[in-house]
Short mmCIF file of all heavy atoms in Angstrom, two decimals:
data_model
loop_
_atom_site.label_atom_id
_atom_site.label_comp_id
_atom_site.label_asym_id
_atom_site.label_seq_id
_atom_site.Cartn_x
_atom_site.Cartn_y
_atom_site.Cartn_z
N TYR T 125 -29.09 46.51 -26.12
CA TYR T 125 -30.15 45.63 -26.30
C TYR T 125 -30.56 45.55 -27.79
O TYR T 125 -30.93 46.53 -28.35
CB TYR T 125 -31.38 46.01 -25.42
CG TYR T 125 -31.14 45.84 -24.01
CD1 TYR T 125 -30.61 46.85 -23.11
CD2 TYR T 125 -31.26 44.59 -23.38
CE1 TYR T 125 -30.41 46.67 -21.85
CE2 TYR T 125 -31.01 44.37 -22.04
CZ TYR T 125 -30.54 45.41 -21.26
OH TYR T 125 -30.29 45.15 -19.99
N GLU T 126 -30.54 44.31 -28.29
CA GLU T 126 -30.93 44.10 -29.69
C GLU T 126 -32.51 43.99 -29.78
O GLU T 126 -33.11 43.35 -29.00
CB GLU T 126 -30.30 42.81 -30.23
CG GLU T 126 -28.78 42.89 -30.26
CD GLU T 126 -28.14 41.54 -30.61
OE1 GLU T 126 -28.92 40.51 -30.82
OE2 GLU T 126 -26.91 41.44 -30.73
N GLU T 127 -33.03 44.77 -30.79
CA GLU T 127 -34.44 44.90 -30.84
C GLU T 127 -35.19 43.54 -31.00
O GLU T 127 -36.23 43.33 -30.32
CB GLU T 127 -34.87 45.78 -31.99
CG GLU T 127 -36.28 46.10 -32.08
CD GLU T 127 -36.55 47.13 -33.29
OE1 GLU T 127 -35.63 47.68 -33.77
OE2 GLU T 127 -37.75 47.21 -33.63
N LYS T 128 -34.69 42.70 -31.83
CA LYS T 128 -35.43 41.48 -32.13
C LYS T 128 -35.57 40.57 -30.91
O LYS T 128 -36.72 40.14 -30.66
CB LYS T 128 -34.73 40.69 -33.29
CG LYS T 128 -35.50 39.50 -33.82
CD LYS T 128 -34.82 38.92 -35.04
CE LYS T 128 -35.65 37.67 -35.54
NZ LYS T 128 -34.95 37.16 -36.74
N PRO T 129 -34.49 40.20 -30.25
CA PRO T 129 -34.71 39.35 -29.00
C PRO T 129 -35.45 40.05 -27.89
O PRO T 129 -36.14 39.36 -27.19
CB PRO T 129 -33.24 39.03 -28.58
CG PRO T 129 -32.37 40.00 -29.27
CD PRO T 129 -33.08 40.36 -30.51
N VAL T 130 -35.30 41.31 -27.76
CA VAL T 130 -36.12 42.07 -26.75
C VAL T 130 -37.61 41.88 -27.03
O VAL T 130 -38.40 41.63 -26.13
CB VAL T 130 -35.72 43.53 -26.70
CG1 VAL T 130 -36.72 44.35 -25.86
CG2 VAL T 130 -34.34 43.67 -26.10
N HIS T 131 -37.95 42.12 -28.30
CA HIS T 131 -39.33 41.97 -28.68
C HIS T 131 -39.86 40.58 -28.49
O HIS T 131 -40.96 40.28 -28.04
CB HIS T 131 -39.54 42.45 -30.10
CG HIS T 131 -40.97 42.35 -30.54
ND1 HIS T 131 -41.94 43.28 -30.26
CD2 HIS T 131 -41.59 41.49 -31.39
CE1 HIS T 131 -43.09 42.97 -30.82
NE2 HIS T 131 -42.92 41.86 -31.46
N LYS T 132 -39.09 39.60 -28.93
CA LYS T 132 -39.45 38.20 -28.84
C LYS T 132 -39.54 37.63 -27.49
O LYS T 132 -40.45 36.84 -27.21
CB LYS T 132 -38.39 37.38 -29.68
CG LYS T 132 -38.79 35.86 -29.77
CD LYS T 132 -37.78 35.18 -30.66
CE LYS T 132 -38.15 33.70 -30.83
NZ LYS T 132 -37.23 32.97 -31.67
N PHE T 133 -38.64 38.00 -26.62
CA PHE T 133 -38.56 37.32 -25.26
C PHE T 133 -39.00 38.19 -24.06
O PHE T 133 -39.28 37.63 -23.02
CB PHE T 133 -37.16 36.81 -25.03
CG PHE T 133 -36.71 35.75 -26.01
CD1 PHE T 133 -35.71 35.95 -26.87
CD2 PHE T 133 -37.34 34.48 -26.04
CE1 PHE T 133 -35.27 35.00 -27.80
CE2 PHE T 133 -36.98 33.53 -26.92
CZ PHE T 133 -35.95 33.80 -27.85
N LEU T 134 -38.96 39.51 -24.23
CA LEU T 134 -39.30 40.35 -23.10
C LEU T 134 -40.55 41.19 -23.23
O LEU T 134 -41.02 41.80 -22.26
CB LEU T 134 -38.14 41.35 -22.83
CG LEU T 134 -36.77 40.63 -22.37
CD1 LEU T 134 -35.67 41.65 -22.41
CD2 LEU T 134 -36.92 40.04 -21.02
N LYS T 135 -41.17 41.16 -24.41
CA LYS T 135 -42.36 41.98 -24.56
C LYS T 135 -43.65 41.13 -24.53
O LYS T 135 -44.71 41.54 -24.91
CB LYS T 135 -42.28 42.65 -25.95
CG LYS T 135 -41.17 43.68 -26.05
CD LYS T 135 -41.32 44.80 -25.10
CE LYS T 135 -40.19 45.84 -25.29
NZ LYS T 135 -40.33 46.97 -24.30
N LYS T 136 -43.53 39.88 -24.01
CA LYS T 136 -44.74 39.03 -23.95
C LYS T 136 -45.51 39.25 -22.69
O LYS T 136 -44.94 39.71 -21.70
CB LYS T 136 -44.24 37.55 -23.99
CG LYS T 136 -43.76 37.11 -25.30
CD LYS T 136 -43.37 35.63 -25.21
CE LYS T 136 -42.89 35.10 -26.58
NZ LYS T 136 -42.48 33.68 -26.56
N ASP T 137 -46.81 38.94 -22.75
CA ASP T 137 -47.61 39.08 -21.49
C ASP T 137 -47.05 38.17 -20.42
O ASP T 137 -46.70 37.01 -20.67
CB ASP T 137 -49.07 38.72 -21.80
CG ASP T 137 -49.77 39.79 -22.69
OD1 ASP T 137 -49.27 40.87 -22.79
OD2 ASP T 137 -50.76 39.45 -23.29
N GLY T 138 -47.00 38.65 -19.21
CA GLY T 138 -46.56 37.86 -18.06
C GLY T 138 -45.12 37.81 -17.74
O GLY T 138 -44.72 37.45 -16.70
N ILE T 139 -44.33 38.33 -18.68
CA ILE T 139 -42.89 38.28 -18.51
C ILE T 139 -42.44 39.23 -17.39
O ILE T 139 -41.63 38.85 -16.54
CB ILE T 139 -42.16 38.63 -19.86
CG1 ILE T 139 -42.31 37.52 -20.86
CG2 ILE T 139 -40.63 38.87 -19.58
CD1 ILE T 139 -41.73 36.23 -20.50
N PRO T 140 -42.96 40.49 -17.31
CA PRO T 140 -42.55 41.37 -16.20
C PRO T 140 -42.83 40.68 -14.84
O PRO T 140 -41.97 40.79 -13.92
CB PRO T 140 -43.28 42.65 -16.44
CG PRO T 140 -43.54 42.65 -17.91
CD PRO T 140 -43.77 41.23 -18.24
N GLU T 141 -44.00 40.17 -14.72
CA GLU T 141 -44.37 39.53 -13.47
C GLU T 141 -43.50 38.33 -13.11
O GLU T 141 -43.07 38.18 -11.96
CB GLU T 141 -45.84 39.06 -13.47
CG GLU T 141 -46.87 40.24 -13.57
CD GLU T 141 -46.99 40.77 -15.00
OE1 GLU T 141 -46.47 40.22 -15.95
OE2 GLU T 141 -47.69 41.77 -15.14
N MET T 142 -43.21 37.50 -14.17
CA MET T 142 -42.35 36.35 -13.92
C MET T 142 -40.97 36.82 -13.49
O MET T 142 -40.35 36.21 -12.55
CB MET T 142 -42.29 35.50 -15.17
CG MET T 142 -41.42 34.22 -15.06
SD MET T 142 -39.65 34.48 -15.35
CE MET T 142 -39.65 34.75 -17.15
N LEU T 143 -40.46 37.82 -14.18
CA LEU T 143 -39.10 38.33 -13.82
C LEU T 143 -39.03 38.94 -12.40
O LEU T 143 -38.02 38.83 -11.70
CB LEU T 143 -38.65 39.34 -14.89
CG LEU T 143 -38.37 38.75 -16.27
CD1 LEU T 143 -37.95 39.99 -17.14
CD2 LEU T 143 -37.25 37.73 -16.23
N GLN T 144 -40.12 39.57 -11.99
CA GLN T 144 -40.16 40.17 -10.64
C GLN T 144 -40.08 39.02 -9.59
O GLN T 144 -39.40 39.13 -8.60
CB GLN T 144 -41.47 40.98 -10.46
CG GLN T 144 -41.56 41.61 -9.14
CD GLN T 144 -40.44 42.59 -8.81
OE1 GLN T 144 -40.26 43.50 -9.61
NE2 GLN T 144 -39.85 42.42 -7.70
N GLU T 145 -40.86 37.98 -9.85
CA GLU T 145 -40.79 36.81 -8.95
C GLU T 145 -39.41 36.18 -8.93
O GLU T 145 -38.89 35.72 -7.87
CB GLU T 145 -41.89 35.79 -9.32
CG GLU T 145 -43.31 36.29 -9.05
CD GLU T 145 -44.36 35.22 -9.49
OE1 GLU T 145 -44.02 34.34 -10.29
OE2 GLU T 145 -45.47 35.33 -9.01
N LEU T 146 -38.81 36.11 -10.07
CA LEU T 146 -37.48 35.57 -10.24
C LEU T 146 -36.47 36.36 -9.48
O LEU T 146 -35.55 35.83 -8.80
CB LEU T 146 -37.07 35.45 -11.64
CG LEU T 146 -35.70 34.76 -11.94
CD1 LEU T 146 -35.65 33.34 -11.47
CD2 LEU T 146 -35.37 34.91 -13.46
N CYS T 147 -36.57 37.69 -9.49
CA CYS T 147 -35.74 38.59 -8.71
C CYS T 147 -35.75 38.27 -7.28
O CYS T 147 -34.74 38.28 -6.55
CB CYS T 147 -36.05 40.06 -9.00
SG CYS T 147 -35.47 40.66 -10.61
N GLU T 148 -36.97 37.95 -6.75
CA GLU T 148 -37.07 37.62 -5.35
C GLU T 148 -36.35 36.27 -5.03
O GLU T 148 -35.67 36.18 -3.95
CB GLU T 148 -38.53 37.42 -5.00
CG GLU T 148 -39.35 38.73 -5.14
CD GLU T 148 -40.83 38.55 -4.89
OE1 GLU T 148 -41.26 37.37 -4.59
OE2 GLU T 148 -41.63 39.50 -5.16
N VAL T 149 -36.33 35.34 -5.99
CA VAL T 149 -35.56 34.10 -5.81
C VAL T 149 -34.08 34.42 -5.80
O VAL T 149 -33.34 33.92 -4.97
CB VAL T 149 -35.91 33.15 -6.96
CG1 VAL T 149 -34.99 31.92 -6.90
CG2 VAL T 149 -37.37 32.69 -6.87
N ILE T 150 -33.64 35.25 -6.77
CA ILE T 150 -32.24 35.61 -6.86
C ILE T 150 -31.69 36.32 -5.58
O ILE T 150 -30.63 36.04 -5.12
CB ILE T 150 -32.01 36.45 -8.13
CG1 ILE T 150 -32.23 35.59 -9.38
CG2 ILE T 150 -30.56 37.03 -8.12
CD1 ILE T 150 -32.21 36.42 -10.69
N GLU T 151 -32.59 37.20 -5.10
CA GLU T 151 -32.20 37.93 -3.92
C GLU T 151 -32.04 36.96 -2.70
O GLU T 151 -31.17 37.27 -1.80
CB GLU T 151 -33.24 39.00 -3.54
CG GLU T 151 -33.20 40.17 -4.45
CD GLU T 151 -34.37 41.14 -4.24
OE1 GLU T 151 -35.42 40.69 -3.65
OE2 GLU T 151 -34.27 42.31 -4.69
N GLY T 152 -32.69 35.88 -2.69
CA GLY T 152 -32.63 34.90 -1.66
C GLY T 152 -31.45 33.95 -1.74
O GLY T 152 -31.21 33.17 -0.83
N VAL T 153 -30.74 33.94 -2.90
CA VAL T 153 -29.56 33.05 -3.12
C VAL T 153 -28.37 33.60 -2.35
O VAL T 153 -27.88 34.62 -2.75
CB VAL T 153 -29.32 32.84 -4.61
CG1 VAL T 153 -28.08 31.97 -4.76
CG2 VAL T 153 -30.50 32.24 -5.32
N LYS T 154 -28.01 32.94 -1.31
CA LYS T 154 -26.89 33.47 -0.49
C LYS T 154 -25.55 33.24 -1.17
O LYS T 154 -24.70 34.13 -1.23
CB LYS T 154 -26.95 32.78 0.90
CG LYS T 154 -28.17 33.22 1.71
CD LYS T 154 -28.18 32.59 3.08
CE LYS T 154 -29.45 32.94 3.84
NZ LYS T 154 -29.52 32.37 5.17
N SER T 155 -25.29 32.00 -1.63
CA SER T 155 -24.09 31.70 -2.34
C SER T 155 -24.31 31.76 -3.81
O SER T 155 -25.04 30.97 -4.32
CB SER T 155 -23.62 30.29 -1.94
OG SER T 155 -22.42 29.96 -2.63
N PHE T 156 -23.65 32.72 -4.48
CA PHE T 156 -24.02 32.99 -5.91
C PHE T 156 -23.04 32.15 -6.85
O PHE T 156 -22.73 32.63 -7.85
CB PHE T 156 -23.82 34.46 -6.15
CG PHE T 156 -24.79 35.01 -7.14
CD1 PHE T 156 -26.16 35.06 -6.87
CD2 PHE T 156 -24.43 35.46 -8.38
CE1 PHE T 156 -27.12 35.52 -7.75
CE2 PHE T 156 -25.36 36.00 -9.37
CZ PHE T 156 -26.75 35.99 -8.99
N ASP T 157 -22.73 30.95 -6.34
CA ASP T 157 -22.00 30.06 -7.24
C ASP T 157 -22.93 29.44 -8.24
O ASP T 157 -24.14 29.42 -8.10
CB ASP T 157 -21.27 29.00 -6.43
CG ASP T 157 -22.26 28.12 -5.61
OD1 ASP T 157 -22.66 27.05 -6.21
OD2 ASP T 157 -22.60 28.46 -4.53
N ILE T 158 -22.32 28.87 -9.30
CA ILE T 158 -23.10 28.38 -10.44
C ILE T 158 -24.14 27.31 -9.99
O ILE T 158 -25.31 27.32 -10.38
CB ILE T 158 -22.24 27.91 -11.49
CG1 ILE T 158 -21.42 29.07 -12.11
CG2 ILE T 158 -23.04 27.18 -12.65
CD1 ILE T 158 -20.25 28.55 -13.01
N LYS T 159 -23.67 26.38 -9.18
CA LYS T 159 -24.50 25.20 -8.84
C LYS T 159 -25.71 25.69 -8.00
O LYS T 159 -26.84 25.31 -8.23
CB LYS T 159 -23.66 24.17 -8.04
CG LYS T 159 -24.41 22.91 -7.64
CD LYS T 159 -23.44 21.96 -6.92
CE LYS T 159 -24.16 20.66 -6.59
NZ LYS T 159 -25.19 20.84 -5.54
N THR T 160 -25.43 26.50 -6.98
CA THR T 160 -26.52 26.93 -6.11
C THR T 160 -27.53 27.84 -6.86
O THR T 160 -28.70 27.67 -6.71
CB THR T 160 -25.95 27.78 -4.92
OG1 THR T 160 -24.97 26.98 -4.24
CG2 THR T 160 -27.09 28.23 -3.97
N LEU T 161 -27.04 28.69 -7.74
CA LEU T 161 -27.82 29.51 -8.57
C LEU T 161 -28.72 28.76 -9.48
O LEU T 161 -29.97 28.98 -9.55
CB LEU T 161 -26.97 30.48 -9.35
CG LEU T 161 -27.59 31.61 -10.12
CD1 LEU T 161 -28.37 32.53 -9.16
CD2 LEU T 161 -26.52 32.40 -10.85
N GLU T 162 -28.19 27.75 -10.12
CA GLU T 162 -28.99 26.89 -11.07
C GLU T 162 -30.03 26.16 -10.32
O GLU T 162 -31.18 26.02 -10.77
CB GLU T 162 -28.05 25.95 -11.84
CG GLU T 162 -28.80 25.10 -12.85
CD GLU T 162 -27.88 24.30 -13.73
OE1 GLU T 162 -26.67 24.40 -13.61
OE2 GLU T 162 -28.45 23.60 -14.63
N GLU T 163 -29.66 25.61 -9.18
CA GLU T 163 -30.67 24.81 -8.43
C GLU T 163 -31.83 25.70 -7.99
O GLU T 163 -33.00 25.24 -8.10
CB GLU T 163 -29.98 24.20 -7.14
CG GLU T 163 -29.00 23.04 -7.48
CD GLU T 163 -28.29 22.51 -6.30
OE1 GLU T 163 -28.42 23.16 -5.18
OE2 GLU T 163 -27.65 21.46 -6.39
N ALA T 164 -31.59 26.91 -7.52
CA ALA T 164 -32.63 27.82 -7.12
C ALA T 164 -33.53 28.22 -8.26
O ALA T 164 -34.77 28.18 -8.09
CB ALA T 164 -31.99 29.04 -6.47
N ILE T 165 -32.95 28.48 -9.39
CA ILE T 165 -33.79 28.96 -10.55
C ILE T 165 -34.56 27.73 -11.13
O ILE T 165 -35.74 27.89 -11.56
CB ILE T 165 -32.87 29.60 -11.61
CG1 ILE T 165 -32.39 30.97 -11.04
CG2 ILE T 165 -33.69 29.91 -12.83
CD1 ILE T 165 -31.43 31.77 -11.91
N ARG T 166 -33.92 26.63 -11.22
CA ARG T 166 -34.64 25.47 -11.75
C ARG T 166 -35.80 25.00 -10.82
O ARG T 166 -36.89 24.55 -11.28
CB ARG T 166 -33.69 24.22 -11.99
CG ARG T 166 -32.79 24.62 -13.13
CD ARG T 166 -32.18 23.32 -13.81
NE ARG T 166 -31.26 23.63 -14.87
CZ ARG T 166 -31.58 23.94 -16.08
NH1 ARG T 166 -32.85 23.97 -16.44
NH2 ARG T 166 -30.66 24.23 -17.02
N LYS T 167 -35.63 25.23 -9.53
CA LYS T 167 -36.73 24.91 -8.57
C LYS T 167 -37.84 25.89 -8.79
O LYS T 167 -39.01 25.59 -8.74
CB LYS T 167 -36.16 25.08 -7.10
CG LYS T 167 -37.23 24.79 -6.08
CD LYS T 167 -36.64 24.97 -4.68
CE LYS T 167 -37.70 24.72 -3.62
NZ LYS T 167 -37.18 24.95 -2.29
N PHE T 168 -37.47 27.23 -9.05
CA PHE T 168 -38.51 28.22 -9.37
C PHE T 168 -39.30 27.87 -10.63
O PHE T 168 -40.50 27.92 -10.65
CB PHE T 168 -37.79 29.54 -9.60
CG PHE T 168 -38.68 30.64 -10.22
CD1 PHE T 168 -39.62 31.34 -9.46
CD2 PHE T 168 -38.53 31.02 -11.58
CE1 PHE T 168 -40.38 32.23 -10.08
CE2 PHE T 168 -39.30 31.90 -12.12
CZ PHE T 168 -40.25 32.62 -11.37
N MET T 169 -38.61 27.35 -11.65
CA MET T 169 -39.25 26.89 -12.91
C MET T 169 -40.25 25.78 -12.61
O MET T 169 -41.43 25.77 -13.09
CB MET T 169 -38.25 26.40 -13.92
CG MET T 169 -37.27 27.40 -14.46
SD MET T 169 -36.08 26.59 -15.52
CE MET T 169 -34.79 27.91 -15.63
#
Side-chain angles (χ1 to χ4, degrees):
Y125 291 96
E126 298 174 359
E127 184 177 346
K128 188 174 180 179
V130 168
H131 181 77
K132 183 177 181 180
F133 297 114
L134 292 171
K135 297 297 183 181
K136 291 182 178 180
D137 291 341
I139 292 296
E141 293 79 7
M142 182 275 289
L143 291 178
Q144 182 60 53
E145 292 180 338
L146 182 63
C147 282
E148 295 173 8
V149 172
I150 292 171
E151 285 174 343
V153 176
K154 294 181 180 179
S155 177
F156 216 65
D157 61 90
I158 296 168
K159 184 175 182 294
T160 304
L161 189 58
E162 182 172 0
E163 287 175 352
I165 293 179
R166 291 201 182 278
K167 182 180 178 182
F168 167 77
M169 296 175 193

